[in-house]
Amino acid sequence: MGKLNARVREELWERVCSHIKSGRATMVDPSNNEQGYTFLTHNTTWIPIDYEGITLMQKPLAFNDDSGPPAFLRPGFSKASRYEKARTQRKCDRSSSYVVIDIETTGLDPAKDRIIEIGLLKIIEDTVKDQAQCLVRSDKKIPDALTRLTGITDEMIKEQGISEASAFEKTREFIGDSVVVGYNVQFDLQFIQKLAERVGGRIVIKKAKDVLHIARRKIDGLEDHKLETVAAYFDLGIKDLHRALTDCMLTYRIFSELNEL
């Protein structure tokens, strides 16, 4: 079959992720570690972890993307009870607090690539109450293609970026014990976990909701379920995409629209 270069592998992975809809995907990717490879995952709570130089797949018990129906919607409850509990649950979902996260990275591999920007929104009772954003310094040069996509340059990172340790602490404090919401949120959380490992920190995400997964489940007939495609479906204004805080806001607005379906 031959060997694929890194650019072809990234494009292949992006195509798989954009066409798989509600399915799950795992790719074995060459890596400079003892076993010679690592894993990329999509739309799944399973994440690759390093165990004494060996990459294993772990399903974190703390993550829950709420993809299944609540207990009260399963067999054993009357129709009236289901309706009332579902109505109450929807009301609670809209009024509860959560944090929306989005990151920009130098590539797709949490083990080799680095976060260059983090965006965070705190939502309380369906209203933006707080926000945070930072550029993050790293030892990785930003690919030209990424600069064209995001507008982020190495000079911006050098002048405005903060250390990985500071970025992690800022993110950890902002999230606290909140539910975390994101678009393909496991991608973001895998990078945050790797960031935690590098700086010797620890973060526990008690619950996560993947807006991409919800969109695939609720919206049919789209060419793909990219952030901009779903935003266009809801006729949401789109500009300055692929900057972390802007994408956070768009994710929040899409999440709100999906909750009404």
Side-chain angles (χ1 to χ4, degrees):
M1 294 180 62
K3 295 184 179 180
L4 303 178
N5 61 42
R7 183 179 62 82
V8 173
R9 290 198 308 272
E10 286 190 6
E11 291 181 356
L12 177 62
W13 180 241
E14 289 179 356
R15 180 164 295 188
V16 168
C17 294
S18 65
H19 287 80
I20 201 170
K21 296 184 178 180
S22 61
R24 300 176 181 179
T26 300
M27 183 171 78
V28 180
D29 196 42
S31 179
N32 186 25
N33 57 22
E34 292 186 13
Q35 66 194 54
Y37 62 87
T38 187
F39 301 94
L40 298 180
T41 62
H42 176 73
N43 204 28
T44 175
T45 56
W46 290 82
I47 60 174
I49 62 168
D50 181 79
Y51 180 74
E52 297 183 356
I54 299 175
T55 302
L56 303 176
M57 295 298 291
Q58 179 187 50
K59 185 175 183 180
L61 296 178
F63 292 170
N64 176 11
D65 65 2
D66 289 352
S67 57
F72 61 77
L73 292 181
R74 298 167 189 157
F77 291 84
S78 68
K79 289 183 178 180
S81 175
R82 292 182 188 182
Y83 173 80
E84 178 60 25
K85 288 181 179 291
R87 185 186 66 80
T88 303
Q89 181 68 41
R90 286 195 298 270
K91 182 178 179 181
C92 290
D93 286 343
R94 284 196 293 268
S95 63
S96 61
S97 65
Y98 57 91
V99 168
V100 182
I101 187 171
D102 185 82
I103 63 173
E104 302 298 334
T105 66
T106 59
L108 301 175
D109 186 346
K112 297 186 295 185
D113 292 304
R114 296 293 183 266
I115 297 172
I116 59 173
E117 186 178 37
I118 301 174
L120 299 158
L121 290 179
K122 182 159 291 185
I123 311 299
I124 301 176
E125 295 184 353
D126 204 28
T127 302
V128 178
K129 294 295 186 180
D130 197 6
Q131 65 182 43
Q133 178 272 342
C134 62
L135 295 173
V136 186
R137 296 196 302 268
S138 76
D139 56 355
K140 295 287 185 179
K141 177 177 173 55
I142 300 176
D144 292 339
L146 187 65
T147 293
R148 290 192 295 271
L149 183 68
T150 64
I152 300 174
T153 65
D154 288 312
E155 289 74 19
M156 289 172 59
I157 296 294
K158 183 178 180 180
E159 294 174 1
Q160 305 172 32
I162 63 177
S163 69
E164 286 194 324
S166 296
F168 170 75
E169 188 61 25
K170 185 175 184 177
T171 301
R172 187 190 65 79
E173 290 182 357
F174 194 97
I175 292 175
D177 59 357
S178 299
V179 174
V180 175
V181 172
Y183 211 83
N184 190 18
V185 70
Q186 293 302 326
F187 176 85
D188 301 80
L189 295 182
Q190 287 173 27
F191 270 89
I192 294 296
Q193 286 186 336
K194 280 296 182 183
L195 175 61
E197 291 175 13
R198 286 196 300 275
V199 303
R202 182 173 181 268
I203 185 169
V204 176
I205 306 299
K206 294 183 177 180
K207 199 172 188 180
K209 294 186 178 183
D210 190 348
V211 180
L212 172 61
H213 180 79
I214 298 170
R216 285 172 171 162
R217 180 159 46 88
K218 290 192 172 186
I219 305 174
D220 295 323
L222 296 182
E223 181 180 353
D224 57 60
H225 286 80
K226 294 178 180 179
L227 184 68
E228 53 265 42
T229 304
V230 177
Y233 173 84
F234 287 118
D235 198 24
L236 302 176
I238 302 173
K239 64 177 182 178
D240 299 326
L241 280 176
H242 306 299
R243 289 301 302 266
L245 202 55
T246 302
D247 288 359
C248 275
M249 182 61 71
L250 201 54
T251 297
Y252 156 62
R253 295 176 66 191
I254 290 173
F255 186 50
S256 297
E257 293 286 348
L258 289 168
N259 282 336
E260 299 299 326
L261 297 181

